[in-house]
Amino acid sequence: MNEMFRDKIDISLTVNGEPVEGRVPAGQHLVDFLRGALGLTGAHASCEHGVCGACTIKVNGEAVRGCLMLAAQADGADIWTVEGLSDQGTIKDLQDAFVARNALQCGFCTPGMLVAIDELLGKEGVPSRAEIREHLSGNYCRCTGYEAIVDAVETVARARAQKGAA
Amino acid sequence: MRPFTYERALDPVSAAARAAEVPGARFIAGGTNLIDLMKLEIETPDHLIDVNGTGLDEITVTEDGGLRIGALVSNTDLADHDVVRRDYPVLTRALVAGASGQLRNKATTGGNLLQRTRCPYFYDTAQPCNKRAQGSGCAALSPGAHSRQLGIIGVSDACIAQHPSDMAVALRVLDAVVETMTPAGDIRLIPLKDFHCLPGSTPEKESVLMDGEIITAVYLPPPVGGKQAYHKVRDRASYAFALVSVALIRHPDGSGRVALGGVAPKPWAMDEADAELPNGAKAVMAKLLEGARPTEENAFKIRLAERTLAAMLAGE
Ligand SMILES: Cc1cc2nc3c(=O)[nH]c(=O)nc-3n(C[C@H](O)[C@H](O)[C@H](O)COP(=O)(O)OP(=O)(O)OC[C@H]3O[C@@H](n4cnc5c(N)ncnc54)[C@H](O)[C@@H]3O)c2cc1C
Ligand code: SF4
Ligand code: FES
Ligand code: FES
């Protein structure tokens, strides 16, 4: 393999605030790298075709599909997974609201939901229920029927806005 | 997924040159369509050239007052851009009607134009499909096939697939121009209306791009004003591809422009149809969909297109 034709790629990136280096096969998906090499199993590989949202992670501040990105493409990226957001405490109120409102049952979709919601709550203003639904339209949940999830997001968005105003 | 090798390109000139030189090479941008199809082994590149580092991710106002959108600008950033929201609102509306936020964060302007059809038989490698395997036949045209989503005009006996992009329909109504770079380093300007090919007997050829040619930008002409709208009709309210979509620009004097999505292998529009706008939706669609050859299962798209435009005209 010469410089130009690599089937293994060296990457260096930050994951949940920590520097990470790796040598990854060209065909490895980012979600598999995070789960396999780093043991971050919060993001799930489910449909693996960009449909369900279970693999949602944050790359350079944006929520994206971990299953439709190559690990090789993450060189230099700043990545956050549900584990990092949890450890930082930035989504504690959201997690509490999920529990209080029964917004999870089997929990399979929950890590992806939390990361997608974190992106929404980072934007200005309090989102309407319709906006919450639209934002989460790419995250499938087969258990809750979504209503409880929308309730939880709405509660947290309002609480945060009040806190900000106070 | 088949094994492949990978490199990063740092500028469009070398990306195009490498793509022409390396057999089986393909560009990868957001990857949201290509990686999906590689997993299914519908796309089997031997080598990927990652174009995310080529610096084509800026939106700039041009000298004539139009807009130059870099090929790597994400669908999210394009939809959110102040000038786009103010002067080209039909584009923002079409973009946010497509996919989901997490996909739009990665999907790029160039990749969106080149995304492949959502024909269910193209995706099912056990089925014959002329687009995927030349000369194997078209499963969508076999008796009892499901063609509800597929095209009704511009289609051929070899393929009736529709182009799935929402963004491209808005770009068509705005008269956009695609800028490319050839492997020889020449810049080409291709009006969007001439960019996608009709299937004819070669449904595998979907655009006029030559081997290795890279999209560098999309140009919008100076703002034309008018009321702009995008209406997407689909089987559920969100996160589904269009059965029919209509992009509309309408001026106070009743003149304007219309482009249709979900009905053809490319965004579908025609000057003669636009000229009928003062005479109403029926007159427009009579021209625009003249010669349509739907299947039994998707013939409803003709009435649906007419009614969608009528509702938009009435709703102003
Ligand atoms: C679940 C799901 C739902 C979706 N729903 C919608 C929807 O409702 N409406 C809609 O419009 N779209 C929808 N999409 C499609 C999405 O918009 C496209 O996948 C996306 O726009 C492709 O852009 P990309 O940058 O990811 O392209 P890639 O996957 O990186 O590339 C696509 C193709 O373009 C080529 N390419 C990329 N950039 C260039 C360039 N600069 N020059 C030359 N060639 C290039 C690649 O070689 C490849 O052949 C959906 C996708 C998914 C997965
Ligand atoms: S309509 Fe086109 S894409 Fe679909 S099966 Fe027929 S040839 Fe393939
Ligand atoms: S696993 Fe990525 S979207 Fe389903
Ligand atoms: S809680 Fe089971 S899929 Fe959402």
Side-chain angles (χ1 to χ4, degrees):
Chain A
M1 284 293 143
N2 65 27
E3 265 304 294
M4 289 295 202
F5 296 95
R6 288 185 178 277
D7 60 357
K8 295 260 194 321
I9 321 294
D10 292 322
I11 55 174
S12 93
L13 61 162
T14 356
V15 179
N16 297 330
E18 307 269 340
V20 171
E21 312 240 315
R23 167 162 289 198
V24 298
Q28 186 169 58
H29 303 292
L30 183 53
V31 68
D32 296 327
F33 173 72
L34 295 171
R35 292 175 60 85
L38 304 186
L40 296 167
T41 53
H44 296 152
S46 180
C47 73
E48 299 191 56
H49 285 282
V51 180
C52 74
C55 62
T56 303
I57 52 174
K58 267 184 142 180
V59 177
N60 300 328
E62 293 182 318
V64 307
R65 300 294 203 225
C67 71
L68 289 186
M69 209 175 144
L70 300 174
Q73 294 186 291
D75 185 48
D78 176 28
I79 294 181
W80 286 85
T81 68
V82 72
E83 289 89 346
L85 298 178
S86 299
D87 290 351
Q88 286 246 315
T90 43
I91 53 169
K92 177 154 197 322
D93 52 351
L94 184 61
Q95 288 165 317
D96 290 344
F98 259 57
V99 174
R101 190 56 193 83
N102 278 329
L104 70 160
Q105 288 175 29
C106 78
F108 189 82
C109 69
T110 315
M113 285 283 179
L114 293 173
V115 176
I117 296 164
D118 181 59
E119 182 189 47
L120 177 67
L121 293 176
K123 295 181 177 156
E124 264 174 47
V126 178
S128 66
R129 289 184 76 85
E131 283 162 350
I132 296 168
R133 282 185 173 282
E134 184 54 41
H135 188 82
L136 295 179
S137 67
N139 289 76
Y140 285 6
C141 174
R142 297 292 83 160
C143 300
T144 64
Y146 302 103
E147 213 53 43
I149 295 175
V150 178
D151 289 348
V153 179
E154 196 178 31
T155 308
V156 173
R158 288 200 179 137
R160 285 195 191 179
Q162 254 178 11
K163 229 170 141 191
Chain B
M1 216 158 59
R2 303 267 178 89
F4 59 89
T5 50
Y6 171 93
E7 74 177 81
R8 298 186 189 102
L10 296 178
D11 58 80
V13 183
S14 57
R18 285 287 291 162
E21 166 188 308
V22 181
R26 288 290 287 279
F27 300 122
I28 181 165
T32 60
N33 191 228
L34 186 59
I35 295 180
D36 185 15
L37 293 170
M38 283 169 64
K39 292 187 188 204
L40 296 164
E41 299 194 356
I42 293 167
E43 301 268 21
T44 53
D46 297 313
H47 185 68
L48 287 186
I49 300 173
D50 190 333
V51 294
N52 284 287
T54 50
L56 299 171
D57 50 5
E58 287 190 1
I59 304 179
T60 43
V61 176
T62 57
E63 256 173 46
D64 69 354
L67 216 56
R68 182 180 193 275
I69 304 158
L72 272 299
V73 171
S74 75
N75 286 179
T76 297
D77 289 348
L78 184 54
D80 278 353
H81 194 265
D82 285 344
V83 177
V84 176
R85 283 166 41 163
R86 190 188 64 215
D87 294 337
Y88 307 95
V90 66
L91 181 54
T92 293
R93 295 208 180 114
L95 282 162
V96 300
S100 73
Q102 297 145 49
L103 288 158
R104 294 194 297 268
N105 282 343
K106 287 304 292 180
T108 65
T109 308
N112 190 313
L113 283 179
L114 290 172
Q115 65 174 297
R116 307 203 65 192
T117 185
R118 294 278 161 174
C119 170
Y121 305 104
F122 173 74
Y123 267 80
D124 180 352
T125 48
Q127 301 283 339
C129 168
N130 289 323
K131 194 187 265 305
R132 175 166 36 71
Q134 269 170 280
S136 61
C138 171
L141 285 169
S142 63
H146 296 294
S147 52
R148 179 177 167 76
Q149 288 283 345
L150 302 184
I152 58 171
I153 194 159
V155 295
S156 73
D157 291 338
C159 178
I160 60 167
Q162 89 290 24
H163 195 271
S165 169
D166 290 294
M167 180 195 80
V169 183
L171 291 182
R172 178 68 182 90
V173 91
L174 290 166
D175 237 345
V177 174
V178 181
E179 181 198 85
T180 68
M181 179 162 289
T182 69
D186 298 323
I187 292 173
R188 278 218 289 168
L189 293 174
I190 309 165
L192 186 72
K193 71 175 167 39
D194 304 325
F195 181 79
H196 295 100
C197 303
L198 295 183
S201 57
T202 52
E204 70 285 353
K205 179 154 177 62
E206 293 172 359
S207 79
V208 298
L209 293 183
M210 61 178 87
D211 268 355
E213 189 168 3
I214 182 174
I215 301 177
T216 46
V218 170
Y219 284 100
L220 296 181
V224 291
K227 283 200 173 151
Q228 305 190 0
Y230 187 77
H231 220 89
K232 179 176 180 181
V233 185
R234 40 189 160 174
D235 279 330
R236 54 171 188 249
S238 175
Y239 199 34
F241 288 92
L243 290 168
V244 164
S245 70
V246 180
L248 173 68
I249 299 178
R250 191 124 139 104
H251 301 293
D253 65 0
S255 69
R257 293 170 59 92
V258 180
L260 287 185
V263 298
K266 61 194 275 185
W268 202 249
M270 210 176 277
D271 291 346
E272 297 86 333
D274 293 343
E276 296 290 339
L277 255 179
N279 303 323
K282 221 181 165 75
V284 172
M285 290 305 163
K287 267 272 174 280
L288 193 53
L289 296 178
E290 194 176 286
R293 34 178 287 181
T295 63
E296 220 170 287
E297 218 182 77
N298 67 19
F300 73 92
K301 288 193 178 190
I302 296 179
R303 294 276 313 274
L304 187 59
E306 197 181 298
R307 287 178 175 178
T308 306
L309 179 60
M312 292 167 85
L313 293 174
E316 283 178 343

